[in-house]
C-alpha cells in the first residue's frame, strides 16, 4: 500500500493538471468579493467553500480552473490570509497550476484580496521552499481595490459613530441585507477607503491588472448619493477604474464616456495605481451584473489593448458611429450589442 501512494499522487496531479485552462492556455483562478450575509452567519470552511461556488455559478464557475474562497467575517491580513489564502497558494504551487501562467479573475473586494496576494505570494512560497506562482495578469470586475464609501458608513454605523437616517438605513439594507454590529464588521474594515488604499498599495510583483467597469446600479440608485462621482451601486469609479487617488470621476478615460460618447472627459481618471489598466466600460452594468449572464447594453473601451505579464496582448475591436440624435460620435466594442460583459472578457481569455 505504501508503494502505491506516490503513483496515486502522481496520477492525481496529472489528472488535476489536465483539467487546467478551462478557457485557454492559461488557468483561470477566481477570487470572489464581499458576501455580506457571512458577517452574520459566520460560516465554517465548508460553508465558505459552498458560498464561493455559488458566487460564480451564473457565468464564471464552469469557465475557471480554481477558486480562492475566503470568509467576509474575517480580516485580509488575519484569518483570510492564514487560513484560506495560504493553504490555497501552497496547493496551486505544489500542483504546478500556474507553470504556464495563471490569470486571476476577481470581483469587487476580490480585487483587494488579490493585491495582497500579489504582494506576498512570492516571499511566502519561497520561504516554504516552494515555487512562486506565475501570475501573468488579473482581470478585475468592479474592483474595490480603492475601497467603498459604503463600507466606511456601514462600519461607522455599526460602531455607533454614524448617524443612521432613513435614507442611509435603506441604502445599507439594500446592499448588505442587514446592518452589521460592532462584533461582525469583518472585511468591511479593510474595505474602508483609507484602509483599502493602504493594503499592499505598491506590490513588488508587476502584474498587469486589467479592469472591467460598470456605471449602473442594481439598487435603484439609492446607494449612489453616498458614492462620489460615477458608480456601479457599490464602488465608485475611482476604485473600479483603479485611480491613484479617491475622487469624483465620471469615466476611466479622458476621451470616452461610460456610455461610449467620444468627447473630452474633464473628470476622467488620468492617474492610476501601478499596473492598473481599465479596458471595458458599460453604462448599463451594475456591480453584480458585470459577472452575470444577462446582457445590459453595449460596452465601450477605455483602452483597446493591454499587454499581459508574459508579453501577450489582449485586445478588442471597436467601431465609431455618428448619432444624429445626440449629435456626437459613439464608440462601442464590436459584438457588444449581443454579448455580455463577461462573455466579452471570456473571449479575451
Amino acid at each position: 500500500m505504501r508503494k502505491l501512494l506516490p503513483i496515486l499522487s502522481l496520477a492525481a496531479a496529472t489528472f488535476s493538471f489536465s483539467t487546467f485552462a478551462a478557457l485557454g492556455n492559461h488557468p483561470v483562478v477566481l477570487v470572489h468579493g464581499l458576501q455580506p450575509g457571512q458577517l452574520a452567519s459566520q460560516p465554517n470552511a465548508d460553508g465558505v467553500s459552498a458560498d464561493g461556488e455559488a458566487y460564480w455559478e451564473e457565468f464564471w464557475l464552469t469557465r475557471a480552473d480554481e477558486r480562492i474562497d475566503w470568509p467576509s467575517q474575517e480580516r485580509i491580513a488575519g484569518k483570510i490570509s492564514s487560513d484560506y489564502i495560504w493553504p490555497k497558494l501552497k496547493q496551486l504551487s505544489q500542483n504546478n497550476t500556474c507553470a504556464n501562467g495563471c490569470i486571476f479573475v476577481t470581483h469587487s473586494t476580490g480585487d483587494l484580496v488579490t493585491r495582497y496576494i500579489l504582494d506576498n505570494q512570492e516571499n511566502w512560497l519561497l520561504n516554504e521552499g516552494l515555487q512562486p506562482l506565475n501570475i501573468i495578469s488579473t482581470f478585475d470586475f468592479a474592483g474595490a481595490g480603492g475601497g467603498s464609501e459604503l463600507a466606511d458608513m456601514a462600519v461607522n454605523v455599526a460602531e455607533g459613530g454614524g448617524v443612521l437616517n432613513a435614507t442611509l438605513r435603506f441604502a445599507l439594507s439594500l446592499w448588505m441585507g442587514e446592518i452589521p454590529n460592532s462584533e461582525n464588521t469583518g472585511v468591511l474594515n479593510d474595505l474602508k477607503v483609507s484602509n483599502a488604499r493602504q493594503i499592499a498599495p505598491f506590490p513588488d510583483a508587476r502584474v498587469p491588472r486589467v479592469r472591467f467597469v460598470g456605471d449602473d446600479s442594481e439598487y435603484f440608485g439609492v446607494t449612489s448619493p453616498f458614492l462620489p462621482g460615477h458608480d456601479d451601486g457599490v464602488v465608485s469609479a475611482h476604485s473600479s477604474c483603479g485611480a491613484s487617488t479617491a475622487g469624483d470621476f465620471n469615466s476611466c478615460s479622458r476621451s470616452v464616456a461610460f456610455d461610449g460618447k467620444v468627447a473630452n472627459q474633464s473628470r476622467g481618471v488620468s492617474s492610476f495605481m501601478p499596473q492598473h489598466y481599465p479596458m471595458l466600460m458599460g453604462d448599463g452594468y451594475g456591480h453584480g451584473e458585470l459577472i452575470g449572464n444577462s446582457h445590459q447594453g453595449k460596452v465601450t473601451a477605455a483602452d483597446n489593448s493591454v499587454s499581459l505579464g508574459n508579453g501577450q496582448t489582449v485586445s478588442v475591436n471597436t467601431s465609431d458611429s455618428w448619432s444624429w440624435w445626440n449629435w456626437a460620435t459613439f464608440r462601442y466594442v464590436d459584438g457588444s450589442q449581443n454579448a455580455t460583459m463577461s462573455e466579452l472578457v471570456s473571449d479575451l481569455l
Side-chain angles (χ1 to χ4, degrees), residues 103-139:
I103 293 177
F104 277 42
V105 172
T106 82
H107 180 246
S108 192
T109 313
D111 167 29
L112 185 58
V113 171
T114 298
R115 195 165 77 216
Y116 192 74
I117 291 173
L118 295 177
D119 197 37
N120 291 286
Q121 67 98 5
E122 182 175 0
N123 286 335
W124 289 348
L125 290 167
L126 285 176
N127 287 338
E128 284 288 313
L130 296 171
Q131 183 68 28
L133 304 184
N134 177 21
I135 304 171
I136 63 171
S137 182
T138 72
F139 283 8

Side-chain angles (χ1 to χ4, degrees), residues 183-199:
E183 302 299 319
N184 66 353
T185 50
V187 79
L188 285 176
N189 294 282
D190 297 314
L191 198 54
K192 294 170 63 176
V193 173
S194 60
N195 291 347
R197 289 182 170 275
Q198 292 177 28
I199 294 176

Side-chain angles (χ1 to χ4, degrees), residues 38-103:
Q38 292 183 341
L39 298 177
S41 65
Q42 307 274 309
N44 59 19
D46 289 339
V48 170
S49 178
D51 288 346
E53 180 176 339
Y55 194 99
W56 297 102
E57 64 183 359
E58 188 173 339
F59 184 88
W60 283 98
L61 185 64
T62 59
R63 293 167 172 83
D65 305 277
E66 294 283 358
R67 300 192 319 271
I68 297 179
D69 303 324
W70 53 273
S72 295
Q73 72 267 22
E74 304 293 350
R75 300 292 300 273
I76 292 176
K79 287 189 177 182
I80 292 175
S81 174
S82 63
D83 294 4
Y84 292 88
I85 293 176
W86 170 234
K88 192 65 178 185
L89 294 182
K90 286 198 294 185
Q91 176 191 325
L92 294 174
S93 178
Q94 291 165 344
N95 290 345
N96 293 317
T97 305
C98 297
N100 196 46
C102 278
I103 293 177

Side-chain angles (χ1 to χ4, degrees), residues 32-341:
H32 64 74
L34 169 73
Q35 303 199 69
Q38 292 183 341
L39 298 177
S41 65
Q42 307 274 309
N44 59 19
D46 289 339
V48 170
S49 178
D51 288 346
E53 180 176 339
Y55 194 99
W56 297 102
E57 64 183 359
E58 188 173 339
F59 184 88
W60 283 98
L61 185 64
T62 59
R63 293 167 172 83
D65 305 277
E66 294 283 358
R67 300 192 319 271
I68 297 179
D69 303 324
W70 53 273
S72 295
Q73 72 267 22
E74 304 293 350
R75 300 292 300 273
I76 292 176
K79 287 189 177 182
I80 292 175
S81 174
S82 63
D83 294 4
Y84 292 88
I85 293 176
W86 170 234
K88 192 65 178 185
L89 294 182
K90 286 198 294 185
Q91 176 191 325
L92 294 174
S93 178
Q94 291 165 344
N95 290 345
N96 293 317
T97 305
C98 297
N100 196 46
C102 278
I103 293 177
F104 277 42
V105 172
T106 82
H107 180 246
S108 192
T109 313
D111 167 29
L112 185 58
V113 171
T114 298
R115 195 165 77 216
Y116 192 74
I117 291 173
L118 295 177
D119 197 37
N120 291 286
Q121 67 98 5
E122 182 175 0
N123 286 335
W124 289 348
L125 290 167
L126 285 176
N127 287 338
E128 284 288 313
L130 296 171
Q131 183 68 28
L133 304 184
N134 177 21
I135 304 171
I136 63 171
S137 182
T138 72
F139 283 8
D140 304 307
F141 290 92
S148 172
E149 287 76 9
L150 292 179
D152 286 77
M153 295 176 186
V155 172
N156 286 343
V157 168
E159 295 179 347
V163 177
L164 184 60
N165 58 39
T167 304
L168 178 56
R169 178 185 291 276
F170 185 44
L172 292 178
S173 65
L174 283 176
W175 174 45
M176 305 189 66
E178 61 181 89
I179 299 168
N181 58 52
S182 59
E183 302 299 319
N184 66 353
T185 50
V187 79
L188 285 176
N189 294 282
D190 297 314
L191 198 54
K192 294 170 63 176
V193 173
S194 60
N195 291 347
R197 289 182 170 275
Q198 292 177 28
I199 294 176
F202 304 106
D204 288 337
R206 299 186 63 80
V207 175
R209 311 214 60 189
V210 188
R211 323 287 285 181
F212 306 99
V213 184
D215 187 35
D216 196 19
S217 172
E218 299 123 295
Y219 306 119
F220 316 107
V222 174
T223 57
S224 294
F226 303 99
L227 296 163
H230 285 226
D231 65 88
D232 63 14
V234 175
V235 294
S236 291
H238 74 77
S239 183
S240 55
C241 296
S244 58
T245 59
D248 178 12
F249 298 106
N250 67 346
S251 176
C252 299
S253 167
R254 298 284 286 183
S255 59
V256 61
F258 268 110
D259 65 357
K261 183 177 180 180
V262 180
N264 177 58
Q265 304 297 306
S266 60
R267 293 190 292 115
V269 180
S270 60
S271 177
F272 298 90
M273 289 188 277
Q275 301 293 308
H276 283 58
Y277 305 100
M279 191 172 191
L280 301 184
M281 305 187 299
D283 71 331
Y285 285 88
H287 190 74
E289 293 167 335
L290 286 162
I291 59 169
N293 202 26
S294 177
H295 186 258
Q296 302 294 331
K298 293 181 181 180
V299 168
T300 191
D303 196 338
N304 285 63
S305 65
V306 176
S307 295
L308 306 184
N310 62 350
Q312 289 180 301
T313 299
V314 292
S315 60
V316 294
N317 294 320
T318 58
S319 299
D320 290 0
S321 60
W322 177 259
S323 169
W324 291 100
W325 181 262
N326 296 284
W327 201 252
T329 297
F330 285 80
R331 176 173 299 151
Y332 296 115
V333 174
D334 294 350
S336 68
Q337 69 272 18
N338 298 311
T340 68
M341 180 76 84

Side-chain angles (χ1 to χ4, degrees), residues 7-21 65-66 95 97:
I7 298 175
L8 292 173
S9 298
L10 178 60
T14 302
F15 175 78
S16 181
F17 188 79
S18 71
T19 65
F20 292 156
D65 305 277
E66 294 283 358
N95 290 345
T97 305

